[in-house]
Amino acid sequence: MDICSLHRGTAPLLVSLPHDGSRIPDDLAARMTPEARRAPDTDWHVSRLYTFARDLGASILVPTYSRYVVDLNRPPDDVSLYPGQNTTGLCPIVRFSGDPVYLPGQEPTPDEVTSRVDTYWRPYHEALRGELDRLRAEHGRVLLWEGHSIRGECPFLFDGRLPDLNIGTAAGASCSPARQVCIEAALQAQQHYDWVLNGRFKGGYITRHYGDPANGIGAVQLEISQRIYMDEDSFAYDEALAASAARAIQSLIEAALRADAGA
């Protein structure tokens, strides 16, 4: 099965886009509500938005399947990353709107969840770990950049309006202080987008699990509001908005790379 695609680069940089996939197997889609079959909670077009990363020499890892099949940025035991807050799980049964993913009685069983982890989740993480190890062995260090996007207003998940740029470093644990300082300086230097550091999105499982600055792996998550590069209702890509957003994202990654003396 074509679980994910990996472009191998030459720089100490791996861009992971775990929610870019939107494919849902036909037999699974038949059990879902009509709304869920559209995979509305996809991080739409992020691989297109991050096209510039190839010119930076980055490795880029992109999944094929929707987060509704299995969420690659959740732990395999499905422990909540944000205790006490509304969220969606490893094999989500509710959408970001709070509405159901499945038709009544069609939710996945525990055995099915285990099977999906083995079939879809583990291959992505094996590819991610393998590429991190390759790049670290070659360069002595590596930056793992987690690229995400989400609708700017999701009352089920958070109050009010999400900032344009949301950086997560697991409250400073997933990368070095120097790297975080460089990123924050780049955020302050740009004037176009509002931003927050370690706000509602502090970094998901991938950032928290793989970030190991003491051993040469820095991990940073960027969650962007979809309004800055696309139409949130139709999911249509906006070339003009996206060009500006891509420049801002590139500046953040370049700032993070400048701190490579420490992970």
Side-chain angles (χ1 to χ4, degrees):
M1 297 176 67
D2 181 19
I3 302 300
C4 58
S5 64
L6 173 63
H7 166 75
R8 287 190 169 92
T10 56
L13 172 63
L14 172 57
V15 174
S16 166
L17 307 173
H19 295 148
D20 182 80
S22 59
R23 184 182 301 177
I24 301 173
D26 290 344
D27 59 340
L28 183 54
R31 296 161 50 193
M32 293 182 174
T33 65
E35 296 81 6
R37 291 169 197 160
R38 298 177 64 221
D41 298 330
T42 301
D43 291 12
W44 293 106
H45 313 296
V46 289
S47 57
R48 184 176 179 182
L49 190 63
Y50 275 82
T51 300
F52 68 85
R54 289 198 178 212
D55 293 333
L56 298 180
S59 295
I60 306 173
L61 182 62
V62 183
T64 301
Y65 290 89
S66 167
R67 69 192 305 155
Y68 289 168
V69 178
V70 70
D71 192 326
L72 301 168
N73 201 30
R74 296 291 185 274
D77 59 5
D78 205 16
V79 170
S80 177
L81 298 171
Y82 296 97
Q85 301 182 53
N86 284 342
T87 186
T88 55
L90 179 62
C91 291
I93 59 172
V94 295
R95 294 159 36 211
F96 287 171
S97 63
D99 297 313
V101 171
Y102 292 92
L103 298 168
Q106 295 298 313
E107 299 85 354
T109 64
D111 285 346
E112 182 180 353
V113 171
T114 298
S115 177
R116 291 194 207 174
V117 168
D118 289 340
T119 302
Y120 302 97
W121 190 96
R122 294 196 190 284
Y124 188 88
H125 284 267
E126 288 168 358
L128 193 157
R129 172 55 72 185
E131 189 63 5
L132 281 178
D133 289 347
R134 182 186 76 85
L135 293 172
R136 182 172 56 174
E138 182 173 340
H139 299 281
R141 80 256 182 227
V142 58
L143 170 63
L144 171 60
W145 188 272
E146 276 282 295
H148 296 261
S149 76
I150 191 170
R151 192 178 183 92
E153 295 187 19
C154 288
F156 178 70
L157 296 181
F158 49 83
D159 295 331
R161 173 189 179 278
L162 193 71
D164 298 327
L165 308 175
N166 303 264
I167 289 283
T169 63
S174 67
C175 73
S176 68
R179 195 184 298 280
Q180 183 165 301
V181 166
C182 286
I183 295 170
E184 189 166 8
L187 287 165
Q188 291 171 339
Q190 62 81 36
Q191 303 294 319
H192 197 62
Y193 302 107
D194 59 358
W195 58 275
V196 67
L197 177 64
N198 290 312
R200 171 61 178 84
F201 295 97
K202 295 178 173 62
Y205 172 77
I206 292 175
T207 301
R208 303 184 199 195
H209 179 73
Y210 292 98
D212 187 6
N215 289 296
I217 301 176
V220 177
Q221 175 175 298
L222 174 61
E223 184 89 56
I224 64 174
S225 288
Q226 291 177 341
R227 63 174 173 267
I228 72 171
Y229 74 97
M230 59 174 275
D231 181 86
E232 293 181 312
D233 294 321
S234 69
F235 310 146
Y237 194 74
D238 186 309
E239 292 282 1
L241 290 178
S244 175
R247 286 193 295 270
I249 296 168
Q250 181 171 344
S251 72
L252 297 180
I253 293 177
E254 290 174 338
L257 289 171
R258 286 197 291 271
D260 265 343

